[in-house]
C-alpha cells in the first residue's frame, strides 16, 4: 500500500475523520474503537505504526504491557528520534492526537503522551515506556478516561465537533481549558465563538488547571442562551510563573438547540494572555 507517499496528502482530510479514497483500490477510514477491542487487536508484544496527526510524522512501536491502556516503546533508535522530533526535541507529558496503524492496515484513533517513564526492554535509546490511550482507556489510578486523552482521541476520529456540540457548558469549559493545557489550538477553536490567533499565546502556556468552578444543574440551563460561570484558574506562564485568575467565563449560543461557545476575546483579555 502506498501510505508513505500519500500521508501528507491525507493528513488534512484525516483531521475531519472522513473516509479517504487514495486510489481505486484503497480506502482509509479512522475508526474510534473501544479499548476492549483494541486490547485484542494489539496484544502484548505486537508491533504497529504511530502517525502524529499534526505533523504527519510516523514511527514504529511495540506494545510491552498495560491493562487499562497500552504501554509501548519505540522499536528502534531511529523511531525514538522521530518521536522526539514530534515533541520539538524535548520529552513531554503533553497529549497528542495520533492514528495507530496495525499490520492489517486498520487505522485507529488514539492519543499518546511523550514522557519516558518506568521500565524499558528494547535497545532504542528510550529510557522506559510511554502510554497510548484508546477510547475507553483509563489511567492506572482511575476508572474514568483522562479528559486530555479523550479529547485527542475524538480529534483524531473527527468527532470533536460532535462532542462539543452536545456538551453542557461545564463540559465545554473543561475542554476549552484542556486545550490551553495541551497547547492545542484545534480544541480551543472548536469551543470558541471567535477565530483567535492562538499560536503566540499557546507557546507561553506551561500549565493550567481549574481549581474552582461554580456549577448549576445542567437541566436548569436548557433555555439559557448566555451564561457567566464563576471560575478560579491556576496558570503557569513562561517567564511569568504562577498566575491566578478569579473571575468568570462567558458562554453564548444562538438558540437552546445550538452548541455552547466561549467568548475567547473576553477570556484572553481577562486572563492577561
Amino acid at each position: 500500500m502506498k501510505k508513505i507517499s500519500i500521508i501528507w496528502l491525507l493528513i488534512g482530510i484525516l483531521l475531519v475523520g472522513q473516509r479517504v479514497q487514495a486510489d481505486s483500490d484503497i480506502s482509509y477510514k479512522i475508526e474510534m474503537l473501544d479499548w476492549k477491542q483494541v486490547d485484542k487487536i494489539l496484544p502484548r508484544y505486537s508491533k504497529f505504526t504511530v502517525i502524529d496527526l499534526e505533523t504527519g510524522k510516523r514511527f514504529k512501536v511495540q506494545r510491552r504491557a498495560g491493562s487499562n491502556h497500552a504501554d509501548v516503546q519505540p522499536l528502534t533508535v531511529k523511531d525514538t528520534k522521530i518521536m522526539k522530533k514530534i515533541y520539538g526535541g524535548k520529552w513531554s507529558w503533553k497529549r497528542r492526537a495520533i492514528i495507530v496503524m496495525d499490520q492489517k492496515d486498520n487505522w485507529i484513533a488514539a492519543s499518546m503522551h511523550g514522557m519516558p517513564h518506568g521500565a524499558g526492554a528494547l535497545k532504542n535509546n528510550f529510557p522506559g515506556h510511554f502510554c497510548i490511550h484508546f477510547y475507553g482507556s483509563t489511567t492506572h489510578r482511575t476508572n474514568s478516561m483522562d479528559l486530555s486523552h479523550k479529547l485527542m482521541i475524538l480529534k483524531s476520529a473527527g468527532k470533536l465537533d460532535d462532542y462539543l456540540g452536545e456538551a453542557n457548558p461545564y463540559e465545554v469549559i473543561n475542554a476549552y481549558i484542556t486545550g490551553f493545557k495541551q497547547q492545542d489550538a484545534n480544541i480551543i477553536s472548536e469551543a470558541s465563538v471567535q477565530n483567535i490567533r492562538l499560536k503566540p499565546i499557546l507557546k507561553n502556556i506551561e500549565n493550567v488547571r481549574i481549581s474552582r468552578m461554580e456549577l448549576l444543574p445542567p437541566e436548569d440551563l436548557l433555555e439559557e442562551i448566555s451564561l457567566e460561570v464563576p471560575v478560579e484558574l491556576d496558570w503557569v506562564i513562561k517567564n511569568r510563573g504562577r498566575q491566578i485568575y478569579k473571575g468568570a467565563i462567558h458562554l453564548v449560543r444562538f438558540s437552546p438547540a445550538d452548541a455552547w461557545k466561549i467568548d475567547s476575546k473576553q477570556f484572553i483579555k481577562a486572563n492577561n494572555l
Side-chain angles (χ1 to χ4, degrees):
M1 300 178 75
K2 303 175 183 177
K3 284 190 273 291
I4 294 177
S5 61
I6 65 168
I7 185 62
W8 286 103
L9 295 176
L10 295 180
I11 203 70
I13 305 174
L14 293 176
L15 283 169
V16 296
Q18 296 178 353
R19 181 176 294 275
V20 180
Q21 192 71 33
D23 57 36
S24 59
D25 300 318
I26 306 169
S27 67
Y28 298 82
K29 186 178 187 302
I30 303 173
E31 298 181 282
M32 193 170 74
L33 301 182
D34 185 81
W35 165 242
K36 291 181 180 180
Q37 294 176 269
V38 179
D39 191 26
K40 296 176 181 178
I41 294 171
L42 302 173
R44 188 171 298 186
Y45 305 122
S46 61
K47 299 174 183 179
F48 51 93
T49 299
V50 170
I51 304 172
D52 180 62
L53 201 68
E54 293 288 343
T55 65
K57 294 183 184 298
R58 49 192 268 162
F59 60 99
K60 293 183 179 180
V61 302
Q62 184 182 52
R63 180 183 175 189
R64 302 292 302 184
S67 56
N68 298 327
H69 56 262
D71 291 340
V72 305
Q73 297 176 47
L75 204 56
T76 67
V77 172
K78 180 181 178 181
D79 293 308
T80 296
K81 288 181 179 179
I82 295 171
M83 182 181 176
K84 198 165 189 177
K85 283 182 180 179
I86 289 171
Y87 276 94
K90 185 178 180 181
W91 297 125
S92 171
W93 288 107
K94 300 291 185 186
R95 279 58 159 152
R96 294 185 69 92
I98 60 171
I99 302 162
V100 163
M101 186 171 63
D102 70 7
Q103 295 183 351
K104 294 183 178 180
D105 298 320
N106 294 306
W107 288 40
I108 308 169
S111 171
M112 71 176 181
H113 68 64
M115 181 59 73
H117 65 286
L122 303 180
K123 294 181 179 180
N124 55 9
N125 201 28
F126 190 87
H129 65 269
F130 70 100
C131 301
I132 294 181
H133 283 230
F134 299 86
Y135 198 81
S137 289
T138 63
T139 63
H140 293 300
R141 298 181 180 180
T142 68
N143 292 319
S144 59
M145 289 186 71
D146 173 85
L147 179 60
S148 295
H149 279 308
K150 179 179 178 178
L151 292 172
M152 292 301 175
I153 294 165
L154 290 166
K155 175 182 172 182
S156 179
K159 297 180 182 294
L160 182 61
D161 186 53
D162 291 340
Y163 169 77
L164 291 173
E166 298 177 359
N168 67 48
Y170 310 113
E171 292 169 332
V172 172
I173 290 173
N174 276 305
Y176 184 78
I177 299 302
T178 297
F180 282 93
K181 179 180 181 179
Q182 302 300 331
Q183 297 177 320
D184 192 288
N186 185 258
I187 293 173
I188 298 168
S189 296
E190 290 284 1
S192 176
V193 173
Q194 307 97 339
N195 291 321
I196 300 292
R197 189 167 173 259
L198 291 164
K199 188 175 181 179
I201 296 172
L202 294 182
K203 68 180 183 180
N204 294 320
I205 306 300
E206 295 184 349
N207 202 3
V208 60
R209 69 182 182 92
I210 302 172
S211 53
R212 184 181 64 87
M213 180 163 60
E214 292 187 16
L215 306 179
L216 290 172
E219 57 268 23
D220 291 352
L221 307 172
L222 294 178
E223 300 303 318
E224 300 292 334
I225 60 171
S226 179
L227 186 64
E228 295 279 347
V229 178
V231 297
E232 184 173 322
L233 305 177
D234 192 346
W235 296 91
V236 179
I237 309 293
K238 188 179 296 183
N239 300 322
R240 281 158 53 185
R242 190 180 178 197
Q243 175 178 309
I244 305 297
Y245 171 71
K246 296 180 180 180
I249 294 178
H250 183 210
L251 299 97
V252 296
R253 57 182 175 176
F254 296 107
S255 78
D258 290 322
W260 286 104
K261 301 285 185 179
I262 291 173
D263 183 346
S264 287
K265 288 186 176 180
Q266 181 272 339
F267 178 83
I268 289 169
K269 182 178 179 180
N271 282 271
N272 195 26
L273 301 178

